[in-house]
Every structure is written in C-alpha cells, then in structure tokens.
Amino acid sequence: MHAAVLMMGLPSRGNHGGALTCFAIIKQLIKEGHRVSVISLFDVSKRNPYTSYKEINKEAVEHLGAEVKLLEYDLRDVPLQEPYRVLEEQRFLQRLCTRYHRLRDPDIRYFYHPFPHFRNALDRLLRETGPDVCFAYHYEPLAALDGLSRPPTMAGFGDLTHLPGYFRWWKESPPPFGLAYFRSVVWNWEERLIHTRLMRRLLLGCEKRGAFAGHYSRWLVQHGISDCQYLRTPVADPVGPDWVSRRQQEENAKRKILVVGDLHGTVSRAGLRLTGREVLPALEEAMGTGAFEMHFVGRGEVPDDVTHLYQRPTVVMRGVVDPADREFLSAHVLFVPTPIILGIRVRIVTGLAFGCCVVTHLANQQGIPELEDGVNCLLSSSGRGLARKLVNALQDNELRLRIQRNARNTYEKYFSEDVAAGHIVNELVGLTTIC
C-alpha cells in the first residue's frame, strides 16, 4: 500500500503533539512494509515557530524511509477571502440577512484560511505522488482537499475548530450582562454553528474519520457523524524496556516537578494561571521553598497578569530543551495543570511512555479516558487538590513508583506504536478495498 500523510508542518519526535502523532503513524506504516509520502503544508513565515526545524524534521522523516513533499507558503502572501466585510457597511436588516446566509452556507475559504487556496497545488501533488490512500491530520489538509477528486481518505483530528476561540473568550470575555457581553455570546453561538457545519462537511467527505480525544468522538457522534472513532494517540517509544534503569540513572537529587509545553497556548495559559495563583502557594506552604523545584520547559512567556507569581525560588524557567528526554526521565513528577477540556495533552501520553508519575487536572480525563486516579496518574479538579496530589507524589516513594509502573503499562497497552498507530494502519489498509 502507498499511503500519503497530509498535515500542516512536518512530523517530528518533539515539536508538538500533532508532529509526534504523525511521526508515530508514519513509523508504523513503514515498519509494516508500506510506502509513505508525507505532503506537508509548510508556512515559511516568521509566524511559524518551527521554521528553524524544517530541515532537521524533513531529514528525520526521510531517515525513516518516507518521501517528503513540501507545499511551502508564506501566510502574508496568501490573499484572505473576506466575503463578510460587507457587514460593516450594511443596514440592520441587510446585516441580519447576510449573517443568516453566513450561518446556512459558510464560506470555507474564509473560515479555513489559507488552506483552500492551495487546492490546485495539492491536486497536482497528489496526481504526481499517486497514493492508494490518504491520512489527513486535522482540518488544514481537509480544507485543501475539499472538492478534489482524491484517493480514499481517513481523517484524524485533535480539536473541534470552534473551541479554542470559545475558551479564549471564556477566560477573557467582557463583564457579564453588558451589551458587549451579549454581542460576544451571540457571536460565539454563531461561530459554533458555522464550525459544526464545516466540520461535518469536511469529515463526511472522507471515507473514515476519528478523533484523538474521547470526548470529541462522542460529541461528533451526537452531532451527526455516527461512525466517528476514538483514536488513541500513538507515541514512539522513547525509552524501551529498560525504562526503569534509565529513570534511576537520571533522577534528580532534589524533588523535581516538570511542566512541559509551549507557554503561550490557550490551554497552557489557563494552567499557568491556576498554578501561579493556587498550586504553587499551597505547595510551598506544605513543603517549604527548599524541598522541591518546578521546572518549566518550552517556548514562550508566562501570562503578564501572573508573571509576578512566578518570581519565587521554587520556579526554574528553562526555555526550550530539545530533545527533552532527560527532563522527563529526571523528573519525580510530570505536572499537567490544564483545567479546560480542550483537545488532549499529548505530553501526558509522552509522560506515560517515559514511565512518569503524572499529576494532572481532572479535565484531562475527558480526552484521555484511560487515565485512572491513584492507578496510573493522580487527578484533582482544584488548585489546592493538585497541590495535595503533588505533595503525596513527592513524599510517598512507594506511591510514586507504583504510579510510574502503571503509567508505563498503560502506554504499552493503549498508546504504543504497535497498538495505537497499528490500528490506524489497519484502517488505512481497509480503505484499499474501496479503490
């Protein structure tokens, strides 16, 4: 079988969750003897934080045995279709009619800019490449594929497209009950309807589809996509069977809590606010300031409104560490404080693979239903509760070691390449009967 993997950016072992997921799928396809072509929609502008990794990631994928075809673009050079700018000039009744039409038949060129702009270029690449099947990761390549004659396609995605904007609004909305608040509520309601229609259109245009988050697959089943699967997120095994000895070799002398991931994302900012306002004060109160360190690994800055809360001796801002293997192995606890149910945190699955003791907010169980409090991780729904779980994990060696063993077992049972990526490969092989 010849499979094309389509995605925005390039697969890698470490840049972000989507890159990790696609890397594992490609690796498993090649392991099972299939030919793989990666078609990357790659933004070369400064807006893309991973531009400097382009050649490294391309070489890593080619080293696996896949061919890489780049469809490069600079976002600043792609004209934005703005069919709704006319709203600014219309009278009240005309504006209502335009907004009604916008709800009934939304323009994909506007809501998925700039990806429909690449439809013709992608069509040429697919004809040149000639795959038997396609795997499209997330909505960007699906928007570019929309309307094309193409091989049987499976879609896999990690988010619902209206939710990032909703959670930003939820955290930063105007004061309730004012006119601005009412307008923002109506606008969010419209965006939800529009994106639901567009997601259904793109996903139903594929022969198979699945969500890398348990709650999203359920949501889409309830919204008219009855065969949407829950796809477990595959992660390449970073340590192998000798993970215990590697952890023992690397473990930090001082109790180390690792917080990993870019600091500027919607989910990260929510977690950073919770950590600064509630978790760190409670943790220092329980253990003192000399008993532990909390290391933050990733690009970006702490949100301005809580920067002062991170000026403390227990906080170590590390910046980008690549590769981050030793950070996972040396940490006593991997802490994922994200308190909102947006997507899944692939860093949790990565932590399971490293045999980490994961302490995370209960919200993350929605996307990863395999998480069990007190079995393979520690969960809580409040800042003070998370602080108590951290204290337990740092002070109770027997508890921490048991969680580590069960975490690694959970990875091997559900999220390893052979299991999670193997399922996707089987689904793609099944599509070849449609050809």
Side-chain angles (χ1 to χ4, degrees):
M1 177 182 72
H2 179 191
V5 176
L6 292 80
M7 65 179 295
M8 184 174 73
L10 280 164
S12 77
R13 284 287 304 271
N15 288 159
H16 55 84
L20 279 163
T21 300
C22 290
F23 192 91
I25 294 168
I26 292 162
K27 189 176 175 185
Q28 188 66 25
L29 279 163
I30 293 169
K31 179 181 176 182
E32 296 191 21
H34 303 294
R35 179 184 167 196
V36 180
S37 297
V38 177
I39 297 178
S40 164
L41 305 172
F42 198 91
D43 181 6
V44 297
S45 71
K46 292 181 180 178
R47 174 181 175 273
N48 180 3
Y50 306 109
T51 304
S52 61
Y53 292 92
K54 184 180 74 169
E55 293 304 323
I56 296 171
N57 291 342
K58 183 173 178 288
E59 288 175 10
V61 174
E62 290 172 338
H63 183 72
L64 290 177
E67 66 172 340
V68 178
K69 293 181 178 291
L70 293 172
L71 201 166
E72 296 182 331
Y73 66 96
D74 188 324
L75 184 62
R76 298 167 299 182
D77 298 334
V78 183
L80 172 61
Q81 301 290 332
E82 295 189 275
Y84 307 116
R85 178 172 283 183
V86 67
L87 282 167
E88 301 172 4
E89 304 164 2
Q90 288 180 329
R91 296 177 184 272
F92 179 73
L93 289 178
Q94 290 175 312
R95 192 180 301 127
L96 284 181
C97 289
T98 301
R99 289 176 76 165
Y100 176 73
H101 177 70
R102 182 173 176 265
L103 288 172
R104 288 291 305 274
D105 187 21
D107 192 323
I108 195 170
R109 297 172 301 167
Y110 177 76
F111 290 101
Y112 285 92
H113 175 77
F115 303 101
H117 182 79
F118 308 130
R119 190 172 292 156
N120 292 337
L122 183 57
D123 186 40
R124 286 193 298 272
L125 270 180
L126 283 173
R127 291 178 188 278
E128 292 170 8
T129 306
D132 301 314
V133 297
C134 294
F135 179 80
Y137 181 78
H138 217 57
Y139 298 98
E140 296 89 358
L142 288 177
L145 284 169
D146 185 55
L148 292 182
S149 174
R150 49 171 175 68
T153 299
M154 180 178 183
F157 57 95
D159 274 323
L160 304 178
T161 53
H162 64 285
L163 285 183
Y166 166 76
F167 280 113
R168 283 193 295 272
W169 168 82
W170 181 56
K171 289 291 183 184
E172 302 165 8
S173 62
F177 308 120
L179 181 59
Y181 179 81
F182 174 74
R183 285 175 172 166
S184 68
V185 168
V186 172
W187 191 260
N188 269 284
W189 174 77
E190 289 182 359
E191 291 288 299
R192 182 177 183 272
L193 287 180
I194 288 167
H195 281 278
T196 300
R197 284 198 168 97
L198 289 174
M199 284 187 288
R200 289 182 72 248
R201 168 179 162 178
L202 293 175
L203 293 173
L204 290 173
C206 299
E207 284 69 27
K208 293 184 180 181
R209 59 223 119 238
F212 289 104
H215 55 324
Y216 288 171
S217 64
R218 296 191 298 271
W219 189 90
L220 284 162
V221 167
Q222 294 165 3
H223 287 78
I225 304 180
S226 59
D227 61 348
C228 183
Q229 303 180 48
Y230 165 44
L231 302 174
R232 293 186 171 97
T233 301
V235 170
D237 190 349
V239 283
D242 61 342
W243 65 275
V244 174
S245 61
R246 290 194 60 185
R247 292 197 67 84
Q248 291 170 345
Q249 292 168 13
E250 297 288 349
E251 194 168 81
N252 221 43
K254 179 178 274 192
R255 294 292 190 244
K256 174 182 173 182
I257 301 168
L258 175 65
V259 182
V260 65
D262 290 350
L263 305 182
H264 51 69
T266 301
V267 293
S268 295
R269 293 169 74 85
L272 288 167
R273 289 187 173 103
L274 178 68
T275 301
R277 291 168 179 164
E278 300 182 36
V279 178
L280 275 169
L283 196 55
E284 290 178 355
E285 180 184 338
M287 295 187 65
T289 58
F292 73 95
E293 290 179 340
M294 188 174 286
H295 290 233
F296 291 81
V297 171
R299 60 177 52 78
E301 304 291 337
V302 171
D304 292 341
D305 57 318
V306 292
T307 299
H308 63 287
L309 299 176
Y310 284 87
Q311 307 302 316
R312 51 206 325 149
T314 53
V315 170
V316 182
M317 291 293 176
R318 302 285 302 283
V320 176
V321 178
D322 187 21
D325 293 24
R326 295 186 68 179
E327 300 303 319
F328 283 95
L329 290 168
S330 63
H332 291 78
V333 174
L334 172 65
F335 181 43
V336 185
T338 304
I340 56 178
I341 54 172
L342 181 60
I344 75 157
R345 308 280 67 77
V346 178
R347 68 200 71 166
I348 293 177
V349 180
T350 303
L352 300 178
F354 276 103
C356 292
C357 176
V358 178
V359 176
T360 186
H361 195 282
L362 185 64
N364 293 294
Q365 193 182 46
Q366 293 289 313
I368 310 175
E370 295 78 11
L371 296 177
E372 296 182 69
D373 182 36
V375 178
N376 55 17
C377 67
L378 296 172
L379 302 171
S380 181
S381 59
S382 69
R384 293 195 71 85
L386 287 169
R388 286 193 295 272
K389 298 288 187 176
L390 288 168
V391 171
N392 292 342
L394 293 175
Q395 294 184 339
D396 188 337
N397 292 338
E398 184 178 336
L399 169 68
R400 187 173 68 255
L401 292 173
R402 185 177 75 249
I403 296 290
Q404 288 176 346
R405 287 193 299 271
N406 290 337
R408 176 66 189 187
N409 289 340
T410 299
Y411 164 74
E412 292 175 352
K413 184 177 180 180
Y414 296 114
F415 299 104
S416 67
E417 292 168 315
D418 285 343
V419 176
H423 170 73
I424 293 170
V425 172
N426 290 339
E427 293 291 310
L428 291 172
V429 170
L431 287 180
T432 59
T433 61
I434 301 174
C435 296

